[in-house]
């Protein structure tokens, strides 16, 4: 007979995966809404956040219950502590998606800025890092956790490029006062979006680190970026 | 600072007749630490524990190979006085087993056996042991009533006091709380923590949470072998071997 506790652990894992799927959808919708200037799609992200918040609370309660009632040991213990942390990261990633969508609501009302290649690259790398982080949890793949960490350098680089491009634009391109104000506002909103994406990358890196803790009981948080297994 | 070893077993085998109950056990127990022996029932925990004060000598047909050192001296060596050894290495059993005598006499018994007859000294030692066993306040007004009138938890602490009365260096405990209710169990566990400063303690328990709560070092036995040993925190959060992990998380067999 399978132990009741193992079913509970499986449930916990399913709840996290559910949360991860909703968060992925939020992130994809938020970035698509930004790129396609789709206010309605952005609104679905804002509306959908409640569900993710509720799941985070559910995971908190569930992990507390399992710790108190089952007194888990070794990997089971690490799994429970790790999922509590991962659900926290997911909730924060979903918040970033909401933040991006709110900026998009503003930006969509005005003509688009010139396209910024680094921004598109940043969106790509954020989504890949996020997906890799989740798959690293699903497959308990610590190698993938290191790969996520390595991608974070690129994310930082793109974020910097977005900032530089837009600062340049704000300073140089707009003589007339009214126009300058609008350009500045659009640029700043866009910079905020790039910051949100950069946070998504950091939080995805954290997820990978929690997976390393769950699977091997090791802490890779403050090791050099080139550290390997 | 690293504590010195109190007990060291080297390549210890133990036989009940033809049956090899322990195989090639090598392990070290640090002074003033609490070490827990865990493992499924029948894996040899009690057998091993009894090797440490030669209680197994009494079992006909049994045989020991290998060495056990206490403070560097081989207790299976030639010139060992077994009575003296058992005074240095006391033992507490699973079921409280007080004698059908008074509380006082239960604790005084070991002293008298060891030739301590001076009544003042005996009275002093009895009080000291009962205090160490955190039982004094509960029994000081009825020292001369029967030990059998005590609750199970009190009886077990009395047996601990009895073991302490001869001032041992090591205390072996074989599932000392398994017959007790949760509150009495907690008292025993708190007591074990207290005793650590004066004694080296080795405890067998089938209750993993108890091992996790009370011990500094945990040794996992399986089918007569020592599988893994390490500090308790590591053993219960990230054991090195899959077999330990499986046992500790209840995924055995
Ligand atoms: N007096 C004995 N005579 C023969 N076999 C014994 C005796 N005591 C224990 N055994 C056997 O030795 C093995 C280890 O027993 P024991 O040390 O009591 O295990 P544990 O304490 O881990 O439950 C078991 O297979 C048990 O049946
Ligand atoms: Mg036993």
């Amino acid at each position: 007979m399978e132990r009741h506790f193992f079913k509970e652990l499986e449930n916990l894992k399913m709840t996290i995966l559910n949360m991860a799927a909703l968060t992925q959808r939020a992130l994809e919708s938020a970035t698509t809404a930004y790129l396609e200037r789709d206010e309605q799609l952005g609104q679905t992200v804002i509306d959908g956040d409640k569900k993710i918040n509720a799941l985070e609370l559910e995971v908190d309660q569930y992990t507390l219950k399992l710790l108190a009632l089952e007194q888990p040991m070794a990997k089971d213990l690490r799994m429970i502590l790790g999922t509590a942390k991962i659900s926290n990261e997911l909730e924060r990633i979903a918040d970033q998606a909401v933040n991006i969508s709110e900026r998009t609501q503003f930006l969509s009302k005005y003509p688009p800025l010139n396209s910024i290649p680094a921004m598109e690259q940043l969106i790509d790398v954020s989504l890949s890092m996020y997906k890799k982080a989740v798959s690293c949890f699903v497959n308990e793949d610590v190698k993938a956790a290191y790969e996520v960490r390595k991608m974070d350098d690129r994310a930082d680089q793109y974020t910097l490029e977005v900032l530089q491009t837009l600062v340049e634009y704000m300073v140089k391109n707009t003589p007339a006062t009214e126009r300058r104000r609008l350009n500045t506002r659009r640029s700043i909103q866009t910079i905020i979006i790039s910051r949100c994406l950069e946070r998504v990358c950091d939080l995805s890196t954290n997820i990978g680190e929690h997976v390393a803790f769950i699977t091997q009981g090791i802490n890779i948080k403050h090791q050099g970026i080139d550290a390997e297994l | 600072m690293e504590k010195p070893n109190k007990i060291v077993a080297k390549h210890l085998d133990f036989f009940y007749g033809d049956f090899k109950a322990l195989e090639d056990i090598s392990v070290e127990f640090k002074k003033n630490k609490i070490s827990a022996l865990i493992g499924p029932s029948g894996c040899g925990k009690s057998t091993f524990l009894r090797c440490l004060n030669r209680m197994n000598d009494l079992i006909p047909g049994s045989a020991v190979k290998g060495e056990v050192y206490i403070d560097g001296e081989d207790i299976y060596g030639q010139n060992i006085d077994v009575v003296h050894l058992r005074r240095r290495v006391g033992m507490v059993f699973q079921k409280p087993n007080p004698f059908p005598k008074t509380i006082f006499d239960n604790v005084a018994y070991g002293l008298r056996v060891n030739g301590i007859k001076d009544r003042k000294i005996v009275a002093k030692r009895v009080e000291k042991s009962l205090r160490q066993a955190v039982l004094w306040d509960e029994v000081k007004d009825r020292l001369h009533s029967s030990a059998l009138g005590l609750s199970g938890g009190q009886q077990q602490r009395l047996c601990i006091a009895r073991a302490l009365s001869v001032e041992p260096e090591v205390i072996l405990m074989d599932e000392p709380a398994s017959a007790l209710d949760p509150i009495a169990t907690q008292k025993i566990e708190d007591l074990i923590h207290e005793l650590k400063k004066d004694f080296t303690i080795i405890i067998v328990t089938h209750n993993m949470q108890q091992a996790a709560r009370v011990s500094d070092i945990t040794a996992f036995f399986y089918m007569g072998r020592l599988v893994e040993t390490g500090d308790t925190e590591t053993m219960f959060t990230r054991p090195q071997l899959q077999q330990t992990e499986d046992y500790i998380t209840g995924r055995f067999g």
Side-chain angles (χ1 to χ4, degrees):
Chain A
M1 196 180 66
E2 201 195 356
R3 258 182 65 200
H4 177 65
F5 174 55
F6 299 155
K7 284 187 208 146
E8 299 260 39
L9 273 185
E10 210 44 46
N11 273 341
L12 176 64
K13 211 170 163 177
M14 291 315 292
T15 312
I16 292 287
L17 293 181
N18 190 4
M19 228 183 136
L22 290 177
T23 303
Q24 178 167 332
R25 197 205 287 158
L27 202 53
E28 285 172 345
S29 300
T31 47
T32 307
Y34 162 73
L35 291 172
E36 295 178 0
R37 306 162 47 70
D38 184 340
E39 274 186 68
Q40 245 181 342
L41 185 58
Q43 191 59 45
T44 64
V45 175
I46 296 167
D47 296 341
D49 196 46
K50 283 197 235 43
K51 177 75 186 143
I52 295 169
N53 291 344
L55 281 172
E56 191 202 13
L57 287 183
E58 198 179 299
V59 170
D60 279 355
Q61 275 173 14
Y62 205 20
T63 51
L64 186 65
K65 177 186 126 180
L66 292 181
L67 287 175
L69 304 186
E70 303 283 351
Q71 295 156 8
M73 296 284 195
K75 188 168 167 207
D76 297 338
L77 176 61
R78 303 198 306 266
M79 174 63 92
I80 291 170
L81 292 176
T83 50
K85 288 185 172 178
I86 288 172
S87 91
N88 190 235
E89 311 289 2
L90 291 172
E91 192 272 337
R92 288 153 82 184
I93 290 173
D95 280 349
Q96 301 302 323
V98 168
N99 201 338
I100 292 169
S101 302
E102 286 167 353
R103 310 297 130 211
T104 297
Q105 305 302 68
F106 171 83
L107 288 170
S108 305
K109 291 189 172 58
Y110 300 94
L113 293 168
N114 288 339
S115 96
I116 307 160
M119 190 67 164
E120 285 168 32
Q121 288 168 309
L122 179 58
I123 289 173
D124 275 350
V125 80
S126 310
L127 289 172
S128 328
M129 282 177 73
Y130 174 79
K131 287 186 211 160
K132 209 181 213 2
V134 172
S135 81
C136 132
F137 173 70
V138 175
N139 306 319
E140 304 201 344
D141 177 1
V142 182
K143 248 185 91 200
Y146 282 97
E147 286 163 21
V148 176
R149 267 168 49 136
K150 280 194 173 152
M151 290 163 81
D152 199 38
D153 279 354
R154 262 158 60 203
D156 291 344
Q157 181 57 37
Y158 297 142
T159 309
L160 187 64
E161 277 175 41
V162 171
L163 179 68
Q164 284 167 342
T165 309
L166 289 168
V167 167
E168 195 81 349
Y169 173 71
M170 287 187 280
V171 171
K172 285 198 179 151
N173 280 17
T174 47
T177 314
E178 259 324 292
R179 207 107 189 116
R180 175 174 290 171
R181 168 168 298 142
L182 180 59
N183 285 351
T184 306
R185 286 175 68 194
R186 287 185 303 164
S187 299
I188 288 176
Q189 296 290 357
T190 308
I191 289 167
I192 292 174
I193 290 180
S194 75
R195 292 288 309 164
C196 292
L197 291 167
E198 196 247 2
R199 280 302 288 154
V200 168
C201 296
D202 289 343
L203 298 169
S204 300
T205 306
N206 293 353
I207 291 177
E209 290 164 355
H210 302 324
V211 173
F213 170 74
I214 292 172
T215 55
Q216 308 194 320
I218 53 173
N219 191 334
I220 63 171
K221 266 189 194 151
H222 305 295
Q223 293 176 7
I225 195 75
D226 292 325
E228 283 291 351
L229 283 177
Chain B
M1 204 188 71
E2 186 80 335
K3 293 228 176 357
N5 287 329
K6 184 72 187 176
I7 300 188
V8 177
K10 282 190 181 162
H11 306 295
L12 190 77
D13 295 335
F14 186 87
F15 300 83
Y16 292 109
D18 292 336
F19 175 64
K20 196 177 205 179
L22 293 175
E23 184 162 356
D24 199 27
I25 309 285
S26 294
V27 63
E28 296 165 356
F29 298 103
K30 302 250 177 266
K31 191 167 188 289
N32 294 101
K33 290 270 181 196
I34 302 167
S35 303
L37 313 183
I38 61 169
S41 114
C43 69
K45 304 179 295 292
S46 298
T47 302
F48 178 72
L49 199 69
R50 288 193 302 261
C51 285
L52 303 181
N53 69 349
R54 295 186 54 173
M55 289 287 270
N56 288 326
D57 290 15
L58 312 171
I59 297 169
S62 68
V64 185
K65 258 179 65 189
E67 295 121 55
V68 175
Y69 297 92
I70 296 188
D71 292 335
E73 182 183 28
D74 184 0
I75 64 167
Y76 287 95
Q78 298 248 298
N79 305 317
I80 290 293
D81 170 357
V82 176
V83 174
H84 177 66
L85 170 70
R86 295 200 188 123
R87 205 172 86 196
R88 291 175 66 195
V89 184
M91 193 149 189
V92 177
F93 300 89
Q94 176 170 0
K95 266 187 70 184
N97 55 350
F99 307 126
K101 292 168 177 275
T102 68
I103 293 167
F104 186 95
D105 285 342
N106 261 277
V107 184
Y109 171 84
L111 298 170
R112 292 181 180 138
V113 168
N114 279 286
I116 301 172
K117 297 255 157 65
D118 182 306
R119 286 179 53 196
K120 264 200 192 136
I121 294 177
V122 170
K124 253 194 168 151
R125 284 270 200 100
V126 168
E127 176 173 344
K128 181 180 171 199
S129 307
L130 285 169
R131 283 188 188 281
Q132 282 179 311
V134 198
L135 188 58
W136 177 252
D137 288 335
E138 290 161 61
V139 300
K140 61 175 188 262
D141 301 321
R142 48 168 165 156
L143 288 175
H144 299 288
S145 50
S146 168
L148 302 181
L150 296 171
S151 72
Q154 289 172 327
Q155 287 188 9
Q156 192 60 305
R157 278 178 285 143
L158 180 68
C159 293
I160 292 174
R162 188 173 67 195
L164 298 180
S165 68
V166 295
E167 301 184 331
E169 298 154 35
V170 179
I171 306 167
L172 310 176
M173 299 185 174
D174 197 348
E175 307 199 8
S178 66
L180 305 181
D181 66 59
I183 293 180
T185 298
Q186 197 188 331
K187 281 191 183 159
I188 297 284
E189 291 181 6
D190 290 343
L191 171 58
I192 292 171
H193 278 294
E194 279 299 305
L195 294 175
K196 176 167 108 165
K197 55 182 188 301
D198 299 316
F199 306 94
T200 300
I201 297 169
I202 303 173
I203 174 173
V204 166
T205 173
H206 64 253
N207 177 335
M208 243 148 0
Q209 261 75 31
Q210 180 168 71
R213 284 192 299 266
V214 302
S215 71
D216 303 303
I217 292 155
T218 297
F220 169 50
F221 282 70
Y222 184 59
M223 296 203 350
R225 288 176 159 273
L226 176 69
V227 176
E228 181 171 350
T229 178
D231 67 272
T232 297
E233 188 185 324
T234 307
M235 289 287 281
F236 286 101
T237 56
R238 53 195 146 87
Q240 301 296 303
L241 300 179
Q242 190 62 39
Q243 212 172 23
T244 315
E245 170 89 35
D246 287 347
Y247 180 67
I248 282 173
T249 60
R251 284 175 178 75
F252 226 60

